[in-house]
Amino acid sequence: MQPKTSTATLQHAGHVVTTTNPFVLPRGVKGRLAGWYMSVPDAQHRELLEAIDLEGVDRLLEVGFGPGQMITALRRRSPGLDVCGVDPSELMVARARRRNPHADLHVGAAAAIPFPNHHADLVLSVNNIPMWPDLAAGMSEVARILTAQGKALFAWHGGTDPRGHQRRLVLSPDRLQEIELAIRAHFTDVSARRLHRSELWEASGAKLPATD
């Protein structure tokens, strides 16, 4: 286990963008309000919960769990599920820990995951992958964390019928392709699906360094 880190440390290392957007990096009063808003159940998250297959998954790691609403819902579905995760916001980590006292949650980022190799059967990232400053570094960490038969799920706003604020967050075809290519560079088996409210990539067969 790596030593404890902080939001400032992650920013200094370039693992987290420096921004005042409370939805990207929740801090202060605005961050608390953003966290509350993100915790309200919506159609996208309900749709994703139906799409996530937990069969054969003993441990799940979520990258960017925010206020922890997905963790709560997934543990409700599978009470014995071992859950861990990272989020760059100290505020969100504190809030998610209160909501999920049995989960192993830490301040961290996609490119700085403080868990050992082959730690999780499923890595989940919801609505944060375009915010990763370095897609390759983040994908390398996700691949490292997965067990040999593990898989990763990456979701972002969009799909065939985005609604409300989602419409402003829909990515261009070029940006979607950039993300998919980054995933394919680190996994042998990648599929992309367009749900009603989400773009969803599923990846398995992590490509690890020969010395791993």
Side-chain angles (χ1 to χ4, degrees):
M1 189 73 70
Q2 298 176 6
K4 287 184 179 180
T5 189
S6 66
T7 301
T9 301
L10 293 171
Q11 289 177 310
H12 182 73
H15 297 320
V16 177
V17 294
T18 298
T19 177
T20 58
N21 187 327
F23 289 96
V24 176
L25 191 59
R27 289 178 288 186
V29 174
K30 290 183 178 180
R32 292 180 187 278
L33 291 173
W36 172 83
Y37 184 84
M38 289 188 288
S39 70
V40 175
D42 60 18
Q44 185 203 17
H45 284 83
R46 288 192 292 269
E47 178 181 62
L48 287 172
L49 283 169
E50 292 182 6
I52 296 171
D53 182 7
L54 293 177
E55 184 177 356
V57 176
D58 293 320
R59 179 180 288 137
L60 176 146
L61 185 149
E62 184 171 5
V63 175
F65 47 73
Q69 74 277 21
M70 287 292 285
I71 292 173
T72 303
L74 289 168
R75 280 185 62 93
R76 190 176 296 124
R77 256 180 59 189
S78 181
L81 186 66
D82 186 1
V83 180
C84 57
V86 293
D87 193 281
S89 166
E90 294 168 26
L91 176 63
M92 291 299 98
V93 172
R95 180 166 294 187
R97 282 175 174 169
R98 288 195 296 271
R99 184 182 295 224
N100 302 279
H102 301 295
D104 190 10
L105 307 178
H106 297 267
V107 176
I113 301 177
F115 294 99
N117 295 351
H118 316 306
H119 191 66
D121 306 299
L122 175 63
V123 171
L124 176 65
S125 164
V126 177
N127 295 342
N128 57 70
I129 189 170
M131 304 173 192
W132 299 1
D134 187 333
L135 275 172
M139 289 299 164
S140 180
E141 274 287 85
V142 171
R144 178 185 68 80
I145 286 296
L146 283 170
T147 58
Q149 303 302 318
K151 63 182 178 181
L153 291 175
F154 308 96
W156 181 252
H157 304 282
T160 60
D161 188 25
R163 297 292 182 93
H165 73 281
Q166 282 196 315
R167 292 172 180 166
R168 301 192 302 272
L169 299 170
V170 170
L171 299 175
S172 69
D174 286 347
R175 183 61 168 146
L176 290 172
Q177 183 180 43
E178 179 186 2
I179 290 171
E180 184 166 332
L181 288 174
I183 299 171
R184 290 187 179 280
H186 291 82
F187 296 90
T188 60
D189 187 7
V190 179
S191 62
R193 282 193 285 162
R194 178 162 282 179
L195 307 181
H196 290 299
R197 302 285 193 271
S198 295
E199 306 292 340
L200 182 65
W201 297 269
E202 181 172 339
S204 58
K207 300 177 183 178
L208 297 174
T211 56
D212 182 71

